[in-house]
């Protein structure tokens, strides 16, 4: 009989590629992870993981078992959802990891909605960058992620996850008020090729959007200043330190002293935002209302570009 808890450990090793990283994600010791893997190999009669200088990787047998693991764990999530529904007095806690702008735009208003429609649901929010929340869901650290599309993100057909599109939004150009293009109604990214740039650090999904937008315009941006805080980015632009591309929702209500905001000419770079849960958990009577509330807020109040 294969122990489902050991299947979760196998998947964590496949996701994180080292026993140490998998152990940290699961709040276990590396020795405990190694022991559980050894027990799983004994249960299956196959060597499942090979370790080397570059970390751990699944064997062919391990890959076969992993393909079934995703289905088994999704079915267990559904079983938990149905049992919770059966015993429903819908009351409990849902943990949500979301990036700052997503919290302000859809999650916080959704909490207000839930207080009225599902007062028994308590939502705990964790601030996490747009590329960090999905791994937190897969590692069972949180129940729901509010994330953005990013390079290396799990594909839409990833069997480990169910995704709910929320909204998409364009990036706008932020320029010093004295910039040569500040008086234009729209700004072409290509016209900013020789300017110094301000942008997020590499690894932030918005960094990829900015760099790719510049590459499509035929140049590599000279990133003189880096910050993941868009208030800081706008402040630097206002101090004539450079130009930037910033998601439109991040500019809402922001002080623009010394800076102007202009739409990008043509096809603007876009940030696509979605909610994600472990596959099978989307019907859980505590999680479903949270997803529905965020989706309703995104449709009703986001006021951005068309949904993804």
């Amino acid at each position: 009989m294969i122990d489902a808890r050991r299947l979760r450990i196998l998947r964590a090793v496949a996701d994180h590629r080292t026993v140490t990283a998998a152990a940290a994600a699961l709040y276990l010791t590396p020795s405990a992870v190694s022991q559980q893997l050894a027990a799983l190999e004994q249960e299956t009669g196959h060597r499942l993981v090979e370790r080397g200088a570059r970390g751990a990787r699944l064997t062919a047998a391990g890959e076969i078992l992993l393909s079934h693991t995703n289905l088994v764990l999704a079915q267990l999530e559904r079983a938990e959802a149905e049992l919770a529904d059966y015993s429903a007095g819908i009351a409990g806690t849902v943990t949500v990891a979301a990036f700052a702008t997503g919290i302000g735009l859809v999650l916080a208003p959704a909490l207000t909605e839930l207080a009225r429609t599902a007062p028994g649901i308590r939502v705990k929010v964790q601030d996490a960058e747009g590329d960090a929340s999905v791994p937190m869901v897969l590692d069972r650290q949180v129940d729901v992620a509010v994330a953005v599309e990013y390079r290396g993100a799990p594909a839409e057909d990833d069997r480990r996850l169910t995704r709910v599109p929320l909204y998409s939004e364009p990036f706008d150009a932020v320029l010093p008020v004295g910039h040569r293009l500040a008086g234009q109604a729209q700004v072409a990214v290509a016209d900013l090729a020789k300017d110094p740039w301000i942008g997020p650090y590499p690894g932030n999904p918005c960094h990829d959007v900015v760099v790719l937008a510049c590459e499509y315009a035929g140049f590599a941006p000279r990133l003189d200043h880096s910050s993941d805080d868009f208030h800081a980015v706008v402040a630097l632009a206002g101090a004539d330190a450079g130009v930037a591309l910033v998601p439109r929702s991040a500019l809402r209500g922001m002080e623009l002293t010394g800076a102007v905001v202009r739409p990008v000419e043509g096809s603007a770079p876009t940030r696509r935002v979605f909610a994600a849960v472990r596959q099978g958990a989307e019907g859980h009577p505590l999680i479903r209302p949270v997803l529905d509330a965020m989706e309703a807020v995104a449709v009703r109040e986001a006021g951005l570009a068309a949904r993804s």
Side-chain angles (χ1 to χ4, degrees):
M1 181 74 68
I2 296 175
D3 189 327
R5 292 171 299 179
R6 292 170 183 152
L7 293 179
R8 289 195 175 97
I9 289 173
L10 180 72
R11 187 162 79 178
V13 171
D15 287 343
H16 294 281
R17 301 184 183 278
T18 71
V19 168
T20 301
L26 297 172
Y27 299 102
L28 297 172
T29 65
S31 62
V33 168
S34 295
Q35 289 170 9
Q36 292 299 314
L37 287 174
L40 183 60
E41 289 180 333
Q42 187 172 5
E43 287 172 346
T44 60
H46 292 278
R47 184 171 181 79
L48 303 173
V49 178
E50 290 182 348
R51 303 185 200 184
R54 297 185 178 179
R57 67 178 186 84
L58 300 191
T59 63
E63 293 288 353
I64 291 171
L65 184 57
L66 180 65
S67 68
H68 291 283
T69 292
N70 293 329
L71 297 175
V72 168
L73 295 184
Q75 191 61 41
L76 287 174
E77 294 281 358
R78 293 187 186 97
E80 289 180 8
E82 289 185 19
L83 287 171
D85 202 13
Y86 176 77
S87 61
I90 305 180
T93 300
V94 177
T95 53
V96 183
F99 59 100
T101 308
I103 291 173
L105 191 64
V106 294
L107 184 51
L111 297 187
T112 301
E113 181 78 9
L114 286 166
R116 181 180 63 82
T117 60
I121 298 178
R122 178 182 177 223
V123 178
K124 295 178 66 175
V125 179
Q126 297 184 28
D127 191 331
E129 289 296 339
D131 59 340
S133 55
V134 170
M136 293 171 72
V137 165
L138 291 173
D139 291 334
R140 302 180 69 86
Q141 296 174 12
V142 298
D143 300 306
V144 182
V146 177
V148 300
E149 292 288 358
Y150 61 94
R151 191 178 298 174
E156 290 188 31
D157 61 355
D158 191 309
R159 291 185 174 182
R160 299 172 298 173
L161 296 167
T162 294
R163 292 166 41 141
V164 177
L166 293 177
Y167 64 89
S168 61
E169 61 174 321
F171 281 61
D172 289 326
V174 180
L175 313 173
V177 70
H179 192 276
R180 64 188 183 281
L181 302 179
Q184 295 189 182
Q186 295 182 321
V187 174
V189 174
D191 291 340
L192 303 173
K194 295 183 179 180
D195 287 274
W197 279 73
I198 312 155
Y201 284 101
N204 185 315
C206 289
H207 174 89
D208 289 346
V209 174
V210 170
V211 170
L212 286 172
C214 294
E215 288 178 357
Y216 291 149
F219 69 97
R222 193 180 87 229
L223 283 163
D224 284 359
H225 311 282
S226 297
S227 175
D228 288 333
D229 184 334
F230 289 120
H231 285 84
V233 170
V234 171
L236 287 167
D240 202 19
V243 300
L245 292 175
V246 176
R248 183 166 294 172
S249 65
L251 294 166
R252 286 185 168 192
M254 192 180 293
E255 176 113 19
L256 294 174
T257 302
V260 297
V261 176
R262 296 290 181 264
V264 172
E265 185 179 282
S267 181
T270 301
R271 173 164 75 171
R272 290 177 173 80
V273 179
F274 62 92
V277 298
R278 293 180 295 278
Q279 192 171 107
E282 64 276 4
H284 193 287
L286 295 178
I287 293 175
R288 185 74 255 170
V290 176
L291 295 175
D292 288 344
M294 288 194 294
E295 190 172 19
V297 167
V299 170
R300 183 180 71 243
E301 298 181 12
L304 301 167
R307 289 173 60 215
S308 347

